[in-house]
């Protein structure tokens, strides 16, 4: 007869005591009792482990325990116990334990009191959990957040300073090249120089635009973009912005139309910001529309807000890129492969400026059909309008809707 030498040992179901001990070990959680009358203190095994001492060598007394608590935490601990005894209330406190080997543990102590017939407290008891990992994680997170905030502030400050420093010489470059272009103090001589001077001026202007955008973005991010509110007649601003881009739209063979529901519509807002919003949207519309295309600016009055739309029949934005185009520096395709100028800050700034006014922006776009940017601005700018999640759906552009169903 063969004997199975590999027979497995059986495992017994643990009794409650063993199970409790195991639970405490896994959860790094111990329990304790402190009997007031005879000053007897009892700790569970796990509590000894948390404190970094052994049952055999550590004499449980209040004085000895106090030596395990850093001086700065003792006051808090004793105050907690005193209040528990006087007010007979449950207590919950967090303090540190200084293990004899120098290791510091963060612990959370939750306790209760027992009273006798006279209502006197006879015993304090509770659980104590080692929460060091959690506390350290929290501290790390806090430190990382503070570091990130500092770095962010430093970046914004640096950008603001740099932009300011760069603007002054650039203005000189642009101003002097303009004087040379006009040959104010005499002829340039060679025809080629004229072209070069124009190039210098154009590049200078381009750089200045970029620097202004970076400065605006860093101001917005640092919460330092100040709005100067005034009554604005929207037809005038739309008119002036279309004038600014007229040259570009004409050169590109794109027609620009304005459709105002009411010529007198006005809002209380920041002139520079509203102009910039419209300029960014219109220049995008013209930039991303091919010759023969159409750009329309619409303005409607609604009960609580003004609705502005910039609609183009351009190249559109692919659906997978649409959620990102309002992030800073996000562009559908890179400059070198598309021949469009720009840094990808226009829409990010536009979105921030709209939101600073308490408004919302929404883009709808279909490749090779066109793009509609809708903006809702309150009559009186405020940053605390409630977000209406359905707004985007309500404001679906009729232009694109009809195209889609076509
Ligand atoms: P900048 O505005 O800083 O000069 P940009 O025009 O490239 O540069 P944004 O205005 O932020 O940057 O637009 C981000 C990207 O979104 C654009 O690069 C383009 O790919 C896409 N986009 C924006 N508007 C339109 C539009 N009307 N039609 C098609 N694509 C657009
Ligand atoms: Mg742009």
């Amino acid at each position: 007869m063969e004997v199975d030498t590999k027979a497995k040992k059986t495992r017994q179901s643990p009794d409650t005591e063993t199970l409790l001990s195991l639970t405490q070990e896994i959860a790094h959680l111990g329990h304790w009792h402190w009997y007031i009358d005879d000053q007897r203190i009892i700790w569970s095994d796990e509590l000894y482990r948390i404190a970094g001492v052994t049952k055999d060598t550590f004499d449980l007394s209040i004085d000895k325990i106090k030596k395990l608590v850093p001086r700065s935490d003792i006051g808090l601990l004793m105050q907690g116990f005193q209040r528990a005894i006087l007010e007979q209330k449950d207590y919950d406190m967090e303090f540190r334990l200084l293990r004899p080997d120098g290791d510091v543990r963060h612990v959370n102590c939750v306790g209760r009191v027992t009273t006798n017939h006279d209502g006197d407290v006879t015993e304090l008891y509770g659980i104590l959990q080692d929460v060091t990992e959690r506390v350290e994680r929290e501290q790390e997170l806090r430190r990382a957040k503070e570091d990130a905030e500092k770095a962010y502030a430093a970046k914004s400050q640096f950008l603001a300073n740099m932009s300011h420093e760069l603007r002054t010489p650039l203005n000189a470059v642009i101003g002097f090249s303009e004087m040379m272009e006009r040959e104010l103090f005499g002829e340039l001589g060679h025809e080629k120089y004229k072209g070069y001077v124009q190039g210098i001026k154009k590049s200078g202007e381009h750089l200045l635009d970029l620097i202004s955008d970076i400065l605006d973005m860093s101001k917005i991010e640092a919460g330092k973009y100040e709005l100067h509110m005034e009554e604005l007649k929207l037809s005038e601003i739309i008119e002036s912005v279309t004038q600014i881009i007229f040259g570009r739209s004409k050169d590109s063979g794109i027609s620009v139309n304005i459709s105002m529901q009411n010529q007198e519509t006005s809002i209380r807002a920041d002139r520079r910001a509203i102009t910039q919003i419209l300029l960014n949207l219109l220049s995008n519309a013209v930039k991303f529309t091919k010759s023969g295309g159409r750009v329309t600016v619409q303005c409607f009055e609604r009960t609580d807000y003004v609705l502005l739309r910039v609609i183009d029949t351009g190249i559109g934005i692919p659906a997978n890129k649409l959620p990102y185009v309002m992030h800073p520096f996000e562009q559908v395709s890179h400059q070198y492969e598309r021949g469009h100028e720009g840094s990808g800050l226009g829409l990010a700034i536009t979105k921030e400026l709209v939101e600073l006014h308490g408004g919302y922006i929404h883009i709808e776009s279909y490749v090779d059909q066109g793009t509609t940017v809708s903006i809702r601005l309150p009559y009186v700018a405020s940053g605390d309008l409630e977000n209406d999640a359905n707004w985007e759906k309500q404001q679906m552009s009729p232009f694109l809707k009809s195209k889609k169903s076509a």
Side-chain angles (χ1 to χ4, degrees), residues 284 287 312 317 325 330-332 338 342-347 371:
N284 278 354
K287 183 160 60 170
D312 67 58
I317 302 166
V325 288
E330 282 292 341
Q331 294 176 310
V332 170
R338 62 177 187 168
S343 56
L345 277 173
L347 281 179
T371 302

Side-chain angles (χ1 to χ4, degrees), residues 155-288:
K155 183 210 78 178
S156 294
Q157 193 59 46
F158 171 76
L159 282 176
N161 290 346
M162 276 289 289
S163 308
H164 196 74
E165 292 301 317
L166 286 171
R167 269 207 232 192
T168 317
L170 260 180
N171 276 321
V173 170
I174 295 166
F176 290 135
S177 55
E178 197 170 293
M179 284 162 84
M180 290 169 79
E181 190 188 6
R182 291 199 205 154
E183 300 182 320
L184 278 185
F185 299 106
E187 284 185 22
L188 281 177
H190 203 288
E191 223 8 68
K192 275 200 167 174
Y193 285 146
K194 270 196 173 179
Y196 293 162
V197 162
Q198 279 164 0
I200 294 171
K201 192 178 139 217
K202 208 164 162 257
S203 306
E205 283 169 347
H206 177 63
L207 266 180
L208 193 62
D209 278 350
L210 175 62
I211 289 163
S212 301
D213 278 358
I214 292 176
L215 185 61
D216 280 341
M217 199 66 217
S218 55
K219 263 195 197 159
I220 292 169
E221 283 180 346
K224 294 212 171 106
Y225 193 103
E226 278 179 29
L227 298 180
H228 300 284
M229 302 304 182
E230 59 180 298
E231 207 64 23
L232 302 178
K233 200 167 160 192
L234 283 174
S235 58
E236 280 173 8
I237 297 199
I238 294 171
E239 200 62 58
S240 75
V241 170
T242 40
Q243 283 298 325
I244 296 172
I245 60 137
F246 180 71
R248 256 178 280 166
S249 58
K250 195 167 154 248
D251 290 349
S252 315
I254 295 161
S255 67
V256 179
N257 308 292
I258 303 173
S259 157
M260 300 282 305
Q261 184 190 11
N262 176 0
Q263 282 297 329
E264 301 306 314
T265 303
S266 66
I267 57 171
R268 209 174 152 69
D270 181 283
R271 179 180 295 277
R272 187 172 162 251
I274 300 298
T275 307
Q276 197 175 355
I277 290 169
L278 283 163
L279 197 56
N280 285 348
L281 295 183
L282 265 163
S283 62
N284 278 354
V286 169
K287 183 160 60 170
F288 298 108

Side-chain angles (χ1 to χ4, degrees), residues 360-378:
Y360 304 106
I361 178 167
H362 173 60
I363 305 180
E364 237 192 305
S365 188
Y366 299 94
V367 172
D368 292 335
Q369 290 188 13
T371 302
T372 292
V373 184
S374 305
I375 281 176
R376 164 179 161 176
L377 287 169

